[in-house]
Amino acid sequence: MQEFTKGDKMVHLVQVNYSLLPVIHRFGIRLGFGNRTVQELCKLYGVNTDFFLAIVNTFHNKNFFPETQLLSFSPLLIVDYLKKTHAYYVSFSLPQIEDLIHRLLLSTPQQNSEMKMIETFYLAYKRKLLEHFKEEEETVFPYVETLVLRPSDIQNHNFDANYEKEHEHVDFELDDLKNLILKYLVPEYDELVCNKLMEEIYRFEKDIRDHSRMEDAILMPQVAHLLKVVK
Amino acid sequence: MGQKVIIVHPAELVRRGLVSALEDLQRTRIISVATFAEVRSEDYKAAAKLLLLVPVTCHHTSELLELRTKIGDHLFIGILLHDKEKYKTDHFDKVLRLDAPARQLREIAERFFEQDDTGLNDELTAREKEVLRLIALGNTNKTIAESLFISTHTVISHRKNITEKLGIKSIPGLTVYAIIQKIVAPTDISADQLS
Protein backbone atom coordinates (compact mmCIF):
# COMPACT_ATOMS: atom_id res chain seq x y z
CA MET A 1 0.00 0.00 0.00
CA GLN A 2 1.13 3.50 -0.74
CA GLU A 3 2.80 5.77 1.79
CA PHE A 4 1.98 9.47 1.77
CA THR A 5 4.83 11.97 1.66
CA LYS A 6 5.20 15.63 2.50
CA GLY A 7 5.02 16.64 -1.17
CA ASP A 8 1.54 15.11 -1.63
CA LYS A 9 -1.39 17.45 -1.89
CA MET A 10 -3.44 17.32 1.30
CA VAL A 11 -6.66 16.90 -0.66
CA HIS A 12 -5.16 13.81 -2.28
CA LEU A 13 -4.97 12.05 1.10
CA VAL A 14 -8.72 12.43 1.63
CA GLN A 15 -9.50 11.52 -1.95
CA VAL A 16 -7.58 8.28 -1.54
CA ASN A 17 -8.94 7.47 1.91
CA TYR A 18 -11.83 9.52 3.26
CA SER A 19 -11.46 8.03 6.74
CA LEU A 20 -8.30 10.15 7.12
CA LEU A 21 -10.39 13.32 7.37
CA PRO A 22 -11.11 12.93 11.11
CA VAL A 23 -7.40 12.31 11.70
CA ILE A 24 -6.48 15.47 9.80
CA HIS A 25 -9.07 17.39 11.82
CA ARG A 26 -7.60 15.98 14.99
CA PHE A 27 -4.39 17.86 14.19
CA GLY A 28 -6.37 21.08 13.94
CA ILE A 29 -5.99 21.27 10.16
CA ARG A 30 -9.18 22.57 8.53
CA LEU A 31 -10.69 22.16 5.08
CA GLY A 32 -10.05 24.70 2.36
CA PHE A 33 -6.88 22.80 1.44
CA GLY A 34 -6.75 24.24 -2.07
CA ASN A 35 -3.81 22.65 -3.81
CA ARG A 36 -1.46 23.02 -0.88
CA THR A 37 0.83 20.16 0.04
CA VAL A 38 1.01 18.30 3.33
CA GLN A 39 4.18 20.18 4.23
CA GLU A 40 2.70 23.59 3.43
CA LEU A 41 -0.43 23.01 5.46
CA CYS A 42 1.42 21.49 8.41
CA LYS A 43 3.64 24.57 8.49
CA LEU A 44 0.59 26.85 8.29
CA TYR A 45 -1.08 25.11 11.24
CA GLY A 46 2.12 24.63 13.27
CA VAL A 47 2.03 20.85 13.03
CA ASN A 48 5.17 18.67 12.95
CA THR A 49 5.09 17.33 9.36
CA ASP A 50 6.98 14.09 10.02
CA PHE A 51 4.80 13.29 12.99
CA PHE A 52 1.65 14.08 11.00
CA LEU A 53 2.78 11.76 8.20
CA ALA A 54 3.72 8.96 10.58
CA ILE A 55 0.24 9.07 12.12
CA VAL A 56 -1.63 9.43 8.84
CA ASN A 57 0.28 6.56 7.28
CA THR A 58 -0.33 4.37 10.32
CA PHE A 59 -4.05 4.99 9.88
CA HIS A 60 -3.96 4.47 6.18
CA ASN A 61 -2.07 1.21 6.16
CA LYS A 62 -2.68 -1.34 8.86
CA ASN A 63 0.74 -2.90 8.36
CA PHE A 64 2.51 0.42 8.67
CA PHE A 65 3.79 1.18 12.14
CA PRO A 66 7.09 3.08 12.00
CA GLU A 67 8.10 2.23 15.53
CA THR A 68 11.66 3.58 15.34
CA GLN A 69 10.52 6.82 13.79
CA LEU A 70 7.66 7.28 16.26
CA LEU A 71 10.02 6.62 19.15
CA SER A 72 12.20 9.50 17.94
CA PHE A 73 9.43 12.11 18.36
CA SER A 74 9.09 14.06 21.56
CA PRO A 75 6.78 12.33 24.08
CA LEU A 76 5.02 15.70 24.32
CA LEU A 77 3.90 15.38 20.71
CA ILE A 78 2.65 11.88 21.38
CA VAL A 79 0.80 12.93 24.54
CA ASP A 80 -0.74 15.87 22.76
CA TYR A 81 -1.94 13.61 19.97
CA LEU A 82 -3.29 11.00 22.40
CA LYS A 83 -5.24 13.71 24.25
CA LYS A 84 -6.75 14.84 20.98
CA THR A 85 -7.85 11.33 20.11
CA HIS A 86 -9.41 10.95 23.57
CA ALA A 87 -11.34 14.15 22.97
CA TYR A 88 -12.49 12.85 19.61
CA TYR A 89 -13.71 9.59 21.11
CA VAL A 90 -15.43 11.29 24.03
CA SER A 91 -17.15 14.00 22.04
CA PHE A 92 -17.85 12.12 18.84
CA SER A 93 -17.26 8.36 18.42
CA LEU A 94 -18.69 7.11 21.71
CA PRO A 95 -21.87 9.24 21.74
CA GLN A 96 -22.39 8.45 18.06
CA ILE A 97 -22.24 4.68 18.67
CA GLU A 98 -24.47 5.07 21.72
CA ASP A 99 -27.08 6.94 19.73
CA LEU A 100 -27.00 4.41 16.89
CA ILE A 101 -27.34 1.43 19.25
CA HIS A 102 -30.29 3.14 20.88
CA ARG A 103 -31.94 3.77 17.53
CA LEU A 104 -31.18 0.27 16.31
CA LEU A 105 -32.83 -1.30 19.36
CA LEU A 106 -35.83 1.00 19.09
CA SER A 107 -36.32 -0.41 15.61
CA THR A 108 -36.51 -4.01 16.88
CA PRO A 109 -39.84 -5.50 18.07
CA GLN A 110 -40.61 -4.43 21.62
CA GLN A 111 -41.30 -7.98 22.82
CA ASN A 112 -37.60 -8.77 22.35
CA SER A 113 -36.73 -6.94 25.52
CA GLU A 114 -33.54 -9.01 25.93
CA MET A 115 -32.05 -7.03 23.06
CA LYS A 116 -31.91 -4.03 25.40
CA MET A 117 -29.03 -5.82 27.10
CA ILE A 118 -26.83 -4.91 24.14
CA GLU A 119 -27.29 -1.27 25.08
CA THR A 120 -26.59 -2.02 28.74
CA PHE A 121 -23.43 -3.84 27.68
CA TYR A 122 -22.29 -0.89 25.59
CA LEU A 123 -22.99 1.63 28.34
CA ALA A 124 -20.95 -0.43 30.81
CA TYR A 125 -18.14 -0.70 28.26
CA LYS A 126 -18.24 3.05 27.65
CA ARG A 127 -18.13 3.82 31.35
CA LYS A 128 -15.04 1.62 31.82
CA LEU A 129 -13.35 3.19 28.83
CA LEU A 130 -14.01 6.71 30.11
CA GLU A 131 -12.55 5.76 33.49
CA HIS A 132 -9.47 4.48 31.72
CA PHE A 133 -9.13 7.71 29.70
CA LYS A 134 -9.57 9.76 32.85
CA GLU A 135 -6.83 7.86 34.62
CA GLU A 136 -4.47 8.38 31.74
CA GLU A 137 -5.26 12.06 31.53
CA GLU A 138 -5.00 12.67 35.25
CA THR A 139 -2.01 10.44 36.01
CA VAL A 140 -0.03 9.22 33.03
CA PHE A 141 0.00 12.24 30.73
CA PRO A 142 0.89 14.83 33.43
CA TYR A 143 3.63 12.49 34.62
CA VAL A 144 5.12 12.28 31.11
CA GLU A 145 4.92 16.05 30.71
CA THR A 146 6.71 16.63 34.00
CA LEU A 147 9.29 14.01 33.09
CA VAL A 148 10.14 15.86 29.89
CA LEU A 149 9.85 19.48 31.03
CA ARG A 150 10.95 19.36 34.69
CA PRO A 151 12.65 16.00 35.27
CA SER A 152 14.00 17.17 38.64
CA ASP A 153 10.41 17.40 39.96
CA ILE A 154 9.89 13.69 39.50
CA GLN A 155 9.52 11.95 42.85
CA ASN A 156 8.46 8.49 41.84
CA HIS A 157 11.05 6.84 39.63
CA ASN A 158 9.32 3.52 39.48
CA PHE A 159 6.42 4.66 37.41
CA ASP A 160 4.80 1.65 35.87
CA ALA A 161 1.72 2.25 33.80
CA ASN A 162 1.30 -1.08 32.17
CA TYR A 163 -1.93 -0.68 30.29
CA GLU A 164 -1.39 -3.45 27.81
CA LYS A 165 -3.70 -5.78 29.75
CA GLU A 166 -6.35 -3.14 30.09
CA HIS A 167 -6.13 -2.33 26.41
CA GLU A 168 -6.55 -5.97 25.57
CA HIS A 169 -9.67 -6.03 27.71
CA VAL A 170 -11.12 -3.02 25.93
CA ASP A 171 -10.39 -4.74 22.66
CA PHE A 172 -12.18 -7.96 23.70
CA GLU A 173 -15.33 -6.17 24.72
CA LEU A 174 -15.57 -4.19 21.53
CA ASP A 175 -15.18 -7.44 19.64
CA ASP A 176 -17.94 -8.99 21.78
CA LEU A 177 -20.21 -6.05 21.00
CA LYS A 178 -19.71 -6.65 17.28
CA ASN A 179 -20.42 -10.36 17.60
CA LEU A 180 -23.49 -9.86 19.79
CA ILE A 181 -24.97 -7.62 17.11
CA LEU A 182 -23.80 -9.52 14.04
CA LYS A 183 -24.63 -12.98 15.32
CA TYR A 184 -27.51 -12.58 17.74
CA LEU A 185 -29.58 -9.57 16.78
CA VAL A 186 -33.22 -10.34 15.97
CA PRO A 187 -33.86 -10.10 12.20
CA GLU A 188 -36.36 -7.23 12.44
CA TYR A 189 -34.46 -3.94 12.62
CA ASP A 190 -33.74 -0.78 10.65
CA GLU A 191 -30.98 -1.77 8.26
CA LEU A 192 -29.82 1.77 7.52
CA VAL A 193 -29.22 2.43 11.20
CA CYS A 194 -27.54 -0.96 11.49
CA ASN A 195 -25.18 -0.32 8.55
CA LYS A 196 -24.19 3.00 9.98
CA LEU A 197 -23.67 1.56 13.44
CA MET A 198 -21.45 -1.26 12.20
CA GLU A 199 -19.43 1.13 10.09
CA GLU A 200 -18.93 3.37 13.11
CA ILE A 201 -17.95 0.47 15.39
CA TYR A 202 -15.41 -0.89 12.89
CA ARG A 203 -13.96 2.57 12.39
CA PHE A 204 -13.73 3.16 16.12
CA GLU A 205 -12.18 -0.27 16.67
CA LYS A 206 -9.40 0.46 14.21
CA ASP A 207 -8.85 3.91 15.63
CA ILE A 208 -8.63 2.81 19.24
CA ARG A 209 -6.37 -0.09 18.34
CA ASP A 210 -3.85 2.29 16.80
CA HIS A 211 -4.31 4.54 19.78
CA SER A 212 -3.53 1.74 22.25
CA ARG A 213 -0.57 0.70 20.17
CA MET A 214 0.81 4.24 20.38
CA GLU A 215 0.58 4.08 24.15
CA ASP A 216 1.98 0.58 24.58
CA ALA A 217 4.66 0.52 21.90
CA ILE A 218 5.72 4.18 21.81
CA LEU A 219 4.82 6.23 24.87
CA MET A 220 5.60 3.61 27.53
CA PRO A 221 9.04 2.70 26.09
CA GLN A 222 9.80 6.44 25.86
CA VAL A 223 8.91 6.90 29.53
CA ALA A 224 11.07 3.94 30.52
CA HIS A 225 13.97 5.40 28.54
CA LEU A 226 13.59 8.89 30.05
CA LEU A 227 13.44 7.44 33.55
CA LYS A 228 16.76 5.70 32.97
CA VAL A 229 18.31 9.03 31.87
CA VAL A 230 16.90 10.89 34.89
CA LYS A 231 18.25 8.33 37.32
CA MET B 1 -33.82 -44.52 32.53
CA GLY B 2 -30.54 -42.81 31.93
CA GLN B 3 -27.21 -42.95 30.27
CA LYS B 4 -24.54 -45.22 31.61
CA VAL B 5 -20.86 -45.63 31.05
CA ILE B 6 -19.28 -48.84 32.28
CA ILE B 7 -15.52 -48.89 32.41
CA VAL B 8 -13.82 -52.23 32.85
CA HIS B 9 -10.06 -52.28 33.19
CA PRO B 10 -7.69 -54.06 35.57
CA ALA B 11 -5.37 -51.04 35.93
CA GLU B 12 -6.64 -48.45 38.39
CA LEU B 13 -4.75 -45.59 36.75
CA VAL B 14 -6.32 -46.43 33.39
CA ARG B 15 -9.78 -46.53 34.96
CA ARG B 16 -9.22 -43.19 36.60
CA GLY B 17 -7.99 -41.69 33.35
CA LEU B 18 -11.06 -42.94 31.49
CA VAL B 19 -13.35 -41.63 34.21
CA SER B 20 -11.78 -38.20 34.11
CA ALA B 21 -12.13 -38.04 30.31
CA LEU B 22 -15.85 -38.72 30.62
CA GLU B 23 -16.73 -37.46 34.08
CA ASP B 24 -18.81 -34.46 33.17
CA LEU B 25 -21.02 -35.89 30.46
CA GLN B 26 -24.52 -34.59 30.99
CA ARG B 27 -27.02 -36.92 32.70
CA THR B 28 -24.58 -39.80 32.56
CA ARG B 29 -23.51 -42.16 35.32
CA ILE B 30 -20.14 -43.82 35.23
CA ILE B 31 -19.40 -47.19 36.76
CA SER B 32 -15.82 -48.27 36.90
CA VAL B 33 -14.70 -51.80 37.82
CA ALA B 34 -11.55 -53.90 37.50
CA THR B 35 -13.01 -57.01 35.85
CA PHE B 36 -16.03 -57.81 33.74
CA ALA B 37 -17.24 -60.27 36.36
CA GLU B 38 -17.84 -57.33 38.70
CA VAL B 39 -20.40 -55.74 36.36
CA ARG B 40 -23.82 -56.37 37.87
CA SER B 41 -27.11 -56.32 36.04
CA GLU B 42 -28.41 -53.41 38.13
CA ASP B 43 -25.51 -51.34 36.76
CA TYR B 44 -27.04 -51.29 33.31
CA LYS B 45 -30.51 -52.76 33.26
CA ALA B 46 -32.35 -49.41 33.51
CA ALA B 47 -30.03 -47.67 31.04
CA ALA B 48 -31.41 -46.07 27.90
CA LYS B 49 -27.94 -45.83 26.44
CA LEU B 50 -24.85 -47.75 27.39
CA LEU B 51 -21.26 -46.98 26.60
CA LEU B 52 -18.99 -49.85 27.55
CA LEU B 53 -15.22 -49.68 27.66
CA VAL B 54 -13.36 -52.97 28.05
CA PRO B 55 -9.91 -54.25 27.14
CA VAL B 56 -10.00 -55.95 23.73
CA THR B 57 -8.63 -59.02 25.43
CA CYS B 58 -11.75 -59.41 27.58
CA HIS B 59 -12.63 -63.11 27.64
CA HIS B 60 -16.30 -62.76 28.53
CA THR B 61 -17.38 -63.05 24.92
CA SER B 62 -20.79 -64.56 25.51
CA GLU B 63 -21.63 -62.08 28.28
CA LEU B 64 -20.65 -59.24 25.97
CA LEU B 65 -22.99 -60.58 23.31
CA GLU B 66 -25.77 -60.99 25.82
CA LEU B 67 -25.31 -57.45 27.05
CA ARG B 68 -25.80 -56.20 23.50
CA THR B 69 -29.21 -57.82 23.33
CA LYS B 70 -30.27 -56.31 26.65
CA ILE B 71 -29.49 -52.69 25.91
CA GLY B 72 -30.65 -51.67 22.47
CA ASP B 73 -28.74 -48.43 22.25
CA HIS B 74 -25.15 -49.31 23.01
CA LEU B 75 -21.59 -48.61 21.98
CA PHE B 76 -18.84 -51.03 22.90
CA ILE B 77 -15.31 -49.73 22.77
CA GLY B 78 -12.41 -52.14 23.01
CA ILE B 79 -9.25 -50.77 24.57
CA LEU B 80 -6.11 -51.81 22.80
CA LEU B 81 -2.84 -51.81 24.73
CA HIS B 82 -0.54 -52.42 21.76
CA ASP B 83 -0.86 -53.43 18.12
CA LYS B 84 0.13 -57.03 18.71
CA GLU B 85 -2.88 -57.82 20.89
CA LYS B 86 -5.21 -60.30 19.27
CA TYR B 87 -8.96 -59.74 19.43
CA LYS B 88 -12.18 -60.35 17.55
CA THR B 89 -13.21 -57.17 15.74
CA ASP B 90 -16.89 -58.07 15.71
CA HIS B 91 -17.06 -57.88 19.50
CA PHE B 92 -16.55 -54.15 19.44
CA ASP B 93 -18.11 -51.21 17.69
CA LYS B 94 -14.87 -49.30 17.95
CA VAL B 95 -11.35 -50.02 19.08
CA LEU B 96 -9.34 -47.32 20.78
CA ARG B 97 -5.64 -47.49 21.56
CA LEU B 98 -4.69 -46.72 25.13
CA ASP B 99 -2.42 -43.94 23.90
CA ALA B 100 -5.20 -42.26 21.92
CA PRO B 101 -5.88 -38.63 22.92
CA ALA B 102 -8.53 -38.30 25.63
CA ARG B 103 -10.28 -35.84 23.33
CA GLN B 104 -10.95 -38.62 20.83
CA LEU B 105 -12.76 -40.74 23.40
CA ARG B 106 -14.58 -37.67 24.60
CA GLU B 107 -15.82 -36.89 21.11
CA ILE B 108 -16.96 -40.45 20.50
CA ALA B 109 -18.89 -40.41 23.77
CA GLU B 110 -20.41 -36.99 23.09
CA ARG B 111 -21.52 -38.08 19.66
CA PHE B 112 -23.03 -41.22 21.09
CA PHE B 113 -24.88 -39.62 24.00
CA GLU B 114 -25.72 -36.23 22.62
CA GLN B 115 -26.60 -37.14 19.08
CA ASP B 116 -30.22 -36.20 19.72
CA ASP B 117 -29.34 -33.17 21.79
CA THR B 118 -29.17 -30.58 19.06
CA GLY B 119 -30.40 -27.24 20.37
CA LEU B 120 -32.68 -25.16 18.17
CA ASN B 121 -31.33 -21.69 18.72
CA ASP B 122 -27.62 -22.13 19.28
CA GLU B 123 -24.66 -24.37 19.02
CA LEU B 124 -23.85 -24.98 22.69
CA THR B 125 -24.24 -28.41 24.27
CA ALA B 126 -26.49 -28.77 27.29
CA ARG B 127 -23.46 -28.91 29.55
CA GLU B 128 -21.92 -25.80 28.05
CA LYS B 129 -25.20 -23.95 28.57
CA GLU B 130 -25.15 -24.98 32.20
CA VAL B 131 -21.59 -23.68 32.60
CA LEU B 132 -22.56 -20.47 30.79
CA ARG B 133 -25.55 -20.01 33.09
CA LEU B 134 -23.28 -20.26 36.13
CA ILE B 135 -20.77 -17.83 34.59
CA ALA B 136 -23.58 -15.33 33.93
CA LEU B 137 -24.72 -15.64 37.53
CA GLY B 138 -21.27 -14.48 38.58
CA ASN B 139 -19.69 -17.76 39.71
CA THR B 140 -15.96 -18.37 39.66
CA ASN B 141 -14.39 -21.40 37.98
CA LYS B 142 -13.96 -22.96 41.39
CA THR B 143 -17.61 -22.63 42.45
CA ILE B 144 -18.78 -23.81 39.03
CA ALA B 145 -16.55 -26.89 39.38
CA GLU B 146 -17.95 -27.57 42.84
CA SER B 147 -21.59 -27.24 41.89
CA LEU B 148 -21.23 -29.46 38.80
CA PHE B 149 -18.91 -31.99 40.47
CA ILE B 150 -16.23 -31.54 37.84
CA SER B 151 -12.63 -30.35 37.99
CA THR B 152 -11.75 -26.66 37.47
CA HIS B 153 -9.67 -27.86 34.56
CA THR B 154 -12.84 -29.16 32.90
CA VAL B 155 -14.63 -25.88 33.63
CA ILE B 156 -11.81 -23.97 31.92
CA SER B 157 -12.01 -26.24 28.91
CA HIS B 158 -15.80 -25.71 28.71
CA ARG B 159 -15.25 -21.95 28.87
CA LYS B 160 -12.75 -22.15 26.08
CA ASN B 161 -15.21 -24.08 23.91
CA ILE B 162 -18.04 -21.67 24.71
CA THR B 163 -15.89 -18.68 23.74
CA GLU B 164 -14.80 -20.37 20.54
CA LYS B 165 -18.32 -21.29 19.51
CA LEU B 166 -19.88 -17.93 20.30
CA GLY B 167 -17.01 -15.61 19.44
CA ILE B 168 -17.58 -13.86 22.76
CA LYS B 169 -14.70 -13.54 25.22
CA SER B 170 -15.58 -11.18 28.04
CA ILE B 171 -17.76 -12.05 31.03
CA PRO B 172 -20.12 -9.11 30.38
CA GLY B 173 -20.44 -10.29 26.76
CA LEU B 174 -21.19 -13.88 27.81
CA THR B 175 -23.72 -12.60 30.31
CA VAL B 176 -25.57 -10.59 27.67
CA TYR B 177 -25.56 -13.61 25.35
CA ALA B 178 -27.03 -15.78 28.13
CA ILE B 179 -29.83 -13.24 28.63
CA ILE B 180 -30.55 -12.89 24.91
CA GLN B 181 -30.79 -16.67 24.59
CA LYS B 182 -32.97 -16.83 27.72
CA ILE B 183 -30.49 -19.06 29.51
CA VAL B 184 -30.76 -16.67 32.46
CA ALA B 185 -33.32 -13.99 33.29
CA PRO B 186 -32.15 -10.36 33.41
CA THR B 187 -33.52 -10.16 36.95
CA ASP B 188 -31.05 -12.87 38.07
CA ILE B 189 -28.07 -10.78 37.07
CA SER B 190 -26.42 -8.38 39.47
CA ALA B 191 -25.55 -4.97 38.05
CA ASP B 192 -21.79 -5.36 38.55
CA GLN B 193 -21.76 -8.50 36.43
CA LEU B 194 -21.67 -6.27 33.37
CA SER B 195 -18.81 -4.10 34.54
Side-chain angles (χ1 to χ4, degrees):
Chain A
M1 201 180 257
Q2 88 190 98
E3 195 183 317
F4 299 116
T5 61
K6 58 186 177 182
D8 284 330
K9 291 195 170 64
M10 189 68 91
V11 71
H12 174 68
L13 272 58
V14 186
Q15 282 165 344
V16 171
N17 181 354
Y18 69 89
S19 71
L20 290 177
L21 186 58
V23 185
I24 295 170
H25 277 146
R26 214 174 279 174
F27 278 93
I29 300 173
R30 314 289 295 173
L31 290 179
F33 299 151
N35 277 330
R36 277 171 289 196
T37 62
V38 167
Q39 188 170 31
E40 285 164 351
L41 278 165
C42 281
K43 203 170 162 209
L44 184 66
Y45 284 94
V47 172
N48 180 318
T49 311
D50 292 330
F51 185 65
F52 173 83
L53 282 168
I55 298 292
V56 161
N57 281 314
T58 302
F59 262 85
H60 181 55
N61 182 353
K62 77 174 185 330
N63 298 318
F64 183 88
F65 193 67
E67 205 165 318
T68 334
Q69 196 199 358
L70 285 169
L71 281 167
S72 71
F73 294 118
S74 159
L76 295 179
L77 269 182
I78 313 265
V79 164
D80 184 52
Y81 173 76
L82 292 172
K83 279 187 193 166
K84 281 179 180 146
T85 54
H86 278 183
Y88 179 75
Y89 299 153
V90 172
S91 62
F92 181 74
S93 310
L94 293 169
Q96 167 89 337
I97 294 173
E98 183 174 336
D99 177 55
L100 287 166
I101 289 182
H102 188 72
R103 280 164 55 198
L104 177 72
L105 296 176
L106 275 183
S107 73
T108 62
Q110 289 314 296
Q111 65 267 31
N112 296 100
S113 58
E114 291 83 10
M115 285 294 137
K116 293 272 174 288
M117 291 311 293
I118 293 178
E119 192 170 10
T120 314
F121 176 83
Y122 175 73
L123 292 175
Y125 165 78
K126 185 184 139 189
R127 190 173 39 71
K128 278 177 277 184
L129 197 61
L130 292 178
E131 271 168 28
H132 172 68
F133 289 169
K134 191 163 172 259
E135 198 188 334
E136 287 183 334
E137 279 169 30
E138 288 178 356
T139 319
V140 184
F141 298 165
Y143 184 87
V144 176
E145 284 162 348
T146 312
L147 187 60
V148 176
L149 299 171
R150 302 179 303 278
S152 53
D153 287 2
I154 292 287
Q155 306 284 329
N156 171 17
H157 286 96
N158 297 313
F159 187 76
D160 178 31
N162 188 359
Y163 284 119
E164 225 162 307
K165 266 240 130 34
E166 215 161 308
H167 287 151
E168 202 177 50
H169 206 71
V170 164
D171 221 31
F172 280 176
E173 293 200 10
L174 199 56
D175 217 32
D176 286 357
L177 177 69
K178 270 178 3 204
N179 278 326
L180 282 169
I181 297 172
L182 292 177
K183 293 174 79 175
Y184 307 109
L185 187 70
V186 288
E188 307 85 8
Y189 56 84
D190 183 326
E191 61 186 62
L192 293 179
V193 174
C194 186
N195 293 344
K196 194 150 174 27
L197 170 64
M198 290 322 292
E199 200 178 305
E200 208 50 59
I201 294 179
Y202 275 100
R203 196 202 304 257
F204 177 63
E205 183 182 39
K206 188 182 173 314
D207 204 312
I208 200 162
R209 200 169 281 166
D210 281 337
H211 174 81
S212 302
R213 202 157 56 144
M214 287 277 282
E215 293 181 355
D216 299 335
I218 308 298
L219 190 62
M220 287 307 130
Q222 283 183 330
V223 168
H225 176 73
L226 282 174
L227 277 172
K228 259 188 224 154
V229 177
V230 170
K231 273 183 197 170
Chain B
M1 297 304 281
Q3 301 177 342
K4 294 279 170 69
V5 176
I6 298 183
I7 294 167
V8 179
H9 203 280
E12 191 196 347
L13 288 178
V14 172
R15 289 201 301 278
R16 285 195 181 203
L18 293 170
V19 169
S20 87
L22 301 171
E23 65 176 355
D24 63 326
L25 286 168
Q26 188 80 352
R27 304 182 302 274
T28 306
R29 232 189 106 204
I30 303 180
I31 291 134
S32 150
V33 290
T35 63
F36 195 80
E38 292 170 59
V39 179
R40 291 165 308 159
S41 64
E42 52 263 46
D43 290 340
Y44 56 79
K45 71 175 177 201
K49 280 187 169 190
L50 173 69
L51 174 67
L52 178 75
L53 289 142
V54 279
V56 288
T57 50
C58 176
H59 297 306
H60 300 261
T61 336
S62 56
E63 285 93 334
L64 278 175
L65 282 172
E66 198 190 330
L67 195 53
R68 278 185 190 276
T69 62
K70 284 184 181 157
I71 312 290
D73 205 350
H74 57 251
L75 184 73
F76 286 8
I77 301 179
I79 298 170
L80 187 66
L81 200 55
H82 52 79
D83 290 333
K84 286 183 184 138
E85 275 183 328
K86 295 229 179 333
Y87 61 93
K88 286 220 154 108
T89 43
D90 55 349
H91 287 169
F92 306 101
D93 303 307
K94 270 186 199 311
V95 171
L96 207 60
R97 283 180 55 118
L98 193 55
D99 59 2
R103 183 158 189 87
Q104 196 182 340
L105 170 62
R106 174 82 207 182
E107 281 166 6
I108 293 169
E110 273 177 4
R111 233 173 291 140
F112 174 60
F113 285 127
E114 301 199 13
Q115 51 205 6
D116 53 0
D117 185 32
T118 41
L120 285 173
N121 55 356
D122 60 66
E123 321 90 320
L124 297 184
T125 66
R127 190 57 150 192
E128 285 161 355
K129 275 190 206 160
E130 184 57 20
V131 171
L132 178 62
R133 191 178 71 84
L134 293 167
I135 294 172
L137 294 176
N139 290 283
T140 61
N141 286 345
K142 193 163 170 282
T143 51
I144 295 174
E146 280 163 8
S147 53
L148 297 179
F149 304 104
I150 56 180
S151 65
T152 44
H153 181 79
T154 310
V155 176
I156 292 165
S157 121
H158 279 311
R159 287 183 84 132
K160 196 169 150 273
N161 291 339
I162 292 169
T163 290
E164 268 170 22
K165 284 183 184 177
L166 304 181
I168 299 177
K169 290 195 186 101
S170 68
I171 292 182
L174 291 170
T175 307
V176 170
Y177 172 84
I179 294 170
I180 289 177
Q181 297 295 331
K182 302 190 198 314
I183 294 170
V184 288
T187 46
D188 293 339
I189 305 297
S190 68
D192 58 348
Q193 184 62 8
L194 287 175
S195 53

